[in-house]
Amino acid sequence: RQLALPVLPPPPSTNPLVAAAVRRKMRLTADGPQATVLLSAIVAAILPSVGAASACVDTYTQVFKPRKGAKVAPSEVGALYTTWCKKNMKVSSAKSMDELCAPLVRKVEDKMLWVPPSTDVTPEIACEGVDKLKERFPEHVAVAEARMKDAGAQEAIKKQLLDKAKAMKGQLETVVRESVTTWGKSLVEDLGTKIRTKTLEILGPDSAEAPREALAKTLGDAASLSSRGIETKLLQKLEEAIGSWAKEAAKEKAKDAKASEL
């Protein structure tokens, strides 16, 4: 049974994330606690100004609970939120918990850029919107704006590399399939010919042809099946290789960017 959140008019907020999230249609599993957990996650991540401060503070109290009262730095909030989200969010989806939590975690991390690194982040601070954080830490605004600009540039680079990786993956998959298909046919034909020749040589021309042909066909079928298995493994390896390429390419881009600043 599905419960659909109604589409609400944009709240009176200057935070574009708030307006976008409220307008977005979301479908949740309608089994009470699960829907509540997901709503709490959204509120804690991006909706601190929609009349749900108490729910947000309660959520972040649980998020920070593993620290047992120890100081929580802004840079640690994202990881703590990730752990909490993956453990508590339950929603009917084919996506993994990592995929479901990632957008919310990213918004939390972006908001923490507006908090000075030496700050002990409390649930109340974590629940404040960007405008409130600017008022609380006015001396940090310029630093945060520079960090946001840098983060935006890095995100643009990542997106560019991701688009290239997707395009490359599609084209290279075709290359792998065509190459393995050509090789597989050649393997089956070459193996079949040699098996038939050798069995005839061993058994002699007076031996029954049907059993010899069955033997050759069995090995040919096995070779064909093996080639398909190799194709599957190569495609899996291709995805891994493209992921490694993207990481290395991102590192090189970062190096080039730093070099140009010097």
Side-chain angles (χ1 to χ4, degrees), residues 14-240:
T14 58
N15 187 338
L17 294 175
V18 173
V22 173
R23 288 196 300 266
R24 189 180 299 121
K25 290 184 180 180
M26 304 187 73
R27 302 194 64 82
L28 314 176
T29 48
D31 48 3
Q34 291 186 1
T36 301
V37 167
L38 184 52
L39 281 171
S40 297
I42 297 168
V43 167
I46 57 173
L47 298 178
S49 61
V50 191
S54 178
C56 180
V57 170
D58 289 344
T59 295
Y60 271 105
T61 299
Q62 293 301 312
V63 171
F64 295 163
K65 192 174 181 180
R67 296 307 301 270
K68 298 179 180 179
K71 177 180 176 179
V72 177
S75 60
E76 298 173 316
V77 175
L80 289 168
Y81 187 87
T82 299
T83 300
W84 177 88
C85 181
K86 290 167 68 173
K87 182 178 179 181
N88 292 277
M89 186 186 292
K90 295 179 177 66
V91 59
S92 297
S93 173
K95 294 183 178 180
S96 67
M97 284 295 103
D98 286 317
E99 291 176 296
L100 289 169
C101 293
L104 297 178
V105 173
R106 176 59 191 274
K107 290 176 175 62
V108 170
E109 291 175 337
D110 284 349
K111 190 168 67 170
M112 286 299 103
L113 292 176
W114 298 93
V115 181
S118 60
T119 303
D120 182 6
V121 182
T122 63
E124 289 75 16
I125 291 177
C127 288
E128 289 183 353
V130 171
D131 289 341
K132 287 289 185 182
L133 292 174
K134 286 181 179 181
E135 293 176 9
R136 182 187 286 269
F137 307 109
E139 74 287 351
H140 186 67
V141 171
V143 175
E145 287 176 343
R147 292 174 67 190
M148 287 294 289
K149 183 179 179 180
D150 183 58
Q154 291 182 19
E155 189 62 27
I157 291 174
K158 287 181 181 179
K159 185 179 184 304
Q160 184 183 46
L161 290 173
L162 179 62
D163 291 341
K164 286 184 178 179
K166 287 180 179 178
M168 185 163 62
K169 180 174 180 288
Q171 294 181 45
L172 292 183
E173 282 180 345
T174 300
V175 171
V176 169
R177 288 192 176 95
E178 289 178 350
S179 297
V180 173
T181 297
T182 300
W183 169 77
K185 288 180 179 179
S186 176
L187 172 65
V188 171
E189 290 175 2
D190 183 60
L191 180 64
T193 298
K194 290 179 177 179
I195 290 295
R196 290 180 178 88
T197 300
K198 183 57 70 174
T199 53
L200 180 60
E201 177 186 322
I202 295 171
L203 300 174
D206 295 334
S207 61
E209 181 180 357
R212 287 189 279 111
E213 184 62 29
L215 186 154
K217 185 176 184 306
T218 297
L219 291 175
D221 290 344
S224 179
L225 185 62
S226 295
S227 69
R228 288 197 293 271
I230 289 174
E231 177 183 301
T232 300
K233 290 181 179 179
L234 283 175
L235 290 174
Q236 292 172 346
K237 198 66 179 178
L238 173 64
E239 187 168 357
E240 179 185 327

